[in-house]
Amino acid sequence: MVEEPRKRARPGRSPAPAGRTARPRQAEVARLAGVSQATVSLVLADKRQGPAISEETRQKVLEAARSLGYVPDPAARRLAAARNNLLGVFSFTATFPTDVQHSYYPFLVGVEREAAERGYDLVLFTGSSTGGAGAAGPEALSRVRLADGCLFLGRHAPVEELGRLVADGFPVVHLGRRDEPAGLHWVGADYVSAAREVVGHLAGLGHRRMVLIREDDEAPASTDRERGFAEGLEAVGNGSVFRSADPERDLTPERLRNWLADGVTAFVAEETDTGAAWRGLRRAAADAGIECPRDASLALLGSPPADLADGPEPTGFDIPRTRLGAAAVRMLAALVAGEEATEPLVACTFRPGATSGPPPATEDH
C-alpha cells in the first residue's frame, strides 16, 4: 500500500484546522481573539490610522488568524476597495428620526431625493445601539465604512470619533455647521442673517429691549443665532441672553414678569431638536397671564415643535431642511468622487407670524 504524500502548508500561513472545509471568517477570528469584528478588519487590513489599536491586541488578532488558517477573500477585498453606491446616514438621536413630526425628518426627505437622483442607495445608522444619542464610540462609527461615505445628523456629535474618520480620509459630511474636528466638511443654514432679520423686524415695530432664550451649550447653531441676535440689536437697542440647561423648568412666570418690569418688551427663543426654549417661553407667558402680542411680543428662531404647531404662527424664520439635506448629499457625492466640495450657506425664509406687534408703550402712536 502506497502512502499518499502529505500536502505542504503554504509558506507564511498556518495550515487550516484538520477536517475543515469552509474558509475561516473574520467573525471566527474575532471570537478566538476576544475582540470585535471591526477590530479584526482593521488589523488584518493593516490600517494604522483610525481607531487606536494596542500592539497586544494586534498580536492577539494575528495569532488567532494564523491558528485558524485565515486567508483574506480576494473577491471581498476587491469589493471593499470599490465603490458600492451606498451613502450612510448616521443619527446621534436615541432613535432614528423617521417620524414625520421629528424635526430631522425633512432633512432626510432631501437626502433621499438627492441620493436617488444621483443613483445612490442609503444605509441608515444610529447611535442608539451603543447607548443612545451622542454615545457612539469608535466601534459604532466604524460601521459606517460599509458605505462609500456618510452624513451625520445631531446637535452633539463626538468630535474625537469623527476626527478619526476624517483623518483616515473617509468621506464625511455633517449636516449643520461644526468647527471641530479640523477638516470636517459640513453644510448649514445662514442662522446669523436669519436671526438678525427677525430682530430687525421687532426693532422696526418699536422694540428696544429684548431677551434671547437659548439652551446652555456651545452648539454652533445656537452660537450663530446668538450672534445674529446681537448684530440685529447693535444700532437700535440692547438685549440680554438667558441660557438654561432646562428652559422649561427655569423659565418661570415670575422671571418673565420681572423682565417686563425692567422694560423688556420682546422675547426671542431659539429652536433646537428638543423645542425646550420655545415650549418653556410659551408656558411661562401663559401662566403669567401675558397676552401676546398685546403685553409682549414673542419670536422663534426656527419652526415650532410639532406639539405646538396648532397655536398662533410665531414670528421667526423657517429652516430649509429639505434643501439642506440635498446639499449635504451633493457635497458627500463630490467627496466620494475625490472632487472639491463646497456648498454655500442656505438662506432661511423670514416668517412674519402672529406673535409680534408694537410694544405696549408705543402701540397707540
Side-chain angles (χ1 to χ4, degrees):
M1 183 175 181
V2 179
E3 183 178 339
E4 290 186 7
R6 293 180 180 176
K7 293 182 179 178
R8 293 183 180 178
R10 294 179 185 175
R13 59 168 283 201
S14 302
R20 183 174 188 117
T21 58
R23 179 192 298 271
R25 297 175 301 167
Q26 284 191 6
E28 297 172 77
V29 177
R31 281 195 295 271
L32 184 59
V35 299
S36 71
Q37 190 171 337
T39 298
V40 170
S41 177
L42 291 171
V43 171
L44 295 180
D46 197 26
K47 289 189 176 179
R48 300 284 173 167
Q49 292 178 310
I53 298 173
S54 69
E55 189 56 34
E56 180 184 359
T57 298
R58 192 178 296 277
Q59 291 304 320
K60 259 200 237 180
V61 171
L62 294 175
E63 181 55 38
R66 280 193 291 269
S67 68
L68 290 172
Y70 174 84
V71 177
D73 184 342
R77 298 190 84 166
R78 284 195 300 273
L79 284 172
R83 295 181 199 162
N84 52 24
N85 287 335
L86 294 177
L87 297 182
V89 181
F90 197 110
S91 170
F92 292 100
T93 54
T95 56
F96 205 86
T98 52
D99 187 324
V100 295
Q101 293 189 328
H102 196 290
S103 61
Y104 288 161
Y105 182 80
F107 289 127
L108 297 178
V109 172
V111 167
E112 182 181 24
R113 288 175 182 170
E114 189 70 20
E117 184 73 21
R118 293 173 177 271
Y120 284 100
D121 289 318
L122 298 177
V123 183
L124 308 183
F125 302 93
T126 178
S128 62
S129 60
T130 54
E139 296 298 338
L141 291 195
S142 68
R143 299 195 307 269
V144 305
R145 297 175 187 268
L146 294 168
D148 297 330
C150 192
L151 302 177
F152 288 89
L153 286 163
R155 186 174 173 85
H156 301 291
V159 173
E160 186 176 351
E161 285 78 7
L162 281 179
R164 291 193 181 103
L165 291 174
V166 172
D168 202 28
F170 183 75
V172 172
V173 173
H174 189 272
L175 223 165
R177 183 173 78 80
R178 189 155 297 276
D179 299 327
E180 295 181 314
L184 176 68
H185 288 82
W186 54 267
V187 298
D190 188 356
Y191 293 133
V192 175
S193 297
R196 187 169 59 234
E197 184 175 8
V198 171
V199 172
H201 173 77
L202 293 171
L205 292 171
H207 296 277
R208 295 295 178 264
R209 294 199 61 187
M210 308 179 201
V211 172
L212 171 66
I213 297 156
R214 58 166 289 188
E215 293 190 23
D216 189 20
D217 60 28
E218 298 304 325
S222 295
T223 303
D224 286 349
R225 286 177 169 94
E226 182 174 335
R227 178 182 158 197
F229 174 80
E231 289 181 3
L233 274 171
E234 275 179 1
V236 296
N238 61 78
S240 59
V241 178
F242 178 73
R243 294 175 61 140
S244 169
D246 188 354
E248 292 187 75
R249 178 198 64 198
D250 296 336
L251 277 175
T252 62
E254 292 74 24
R255 191 181 294 275
L256 260 63
R257 291 193 195 100
N258 288 338
W259 276 328
L260 291 177
D262 286 340
V264 172
T265 58
F267 300 97
V268 182
E270 70 163 349
E271 179 203 352
T272 67
D273 50 2
T274 68
W278 180 245
R279 188 177 289 107
L281 177 58
R282 282 279 306 272
R283 183 176 301 157
D287 291 346
I290 298 171
E291 191 172 321
C292 167
R294 186 196 67 185
D295 302 321
S297 289
L298 308 184
L300 174 61
L301 304 182
S303 303
D307 60 321
L308 295 180
D310 57 347
E313 183 180 54
T315 298
F317 60 77
D318 293 315
I319 301 168
R321 288 180 166 85
T322 302
R323 283 193 288 143
L324 281 167
V329 171
R330 288 195 298 271
M331 177 177 281
L332 186 59
L335 292 175
V336 168
E339 302 168 356
E340 288 293 324
T342 57
E343 283 283 341
L345 287 173
V346 180
C348 298
T349 305
F350 175 72
R351 184 183 60 242
T355 60
S356 63
T362 60
E363 61 183 352
D364 296 324
H365 297 283

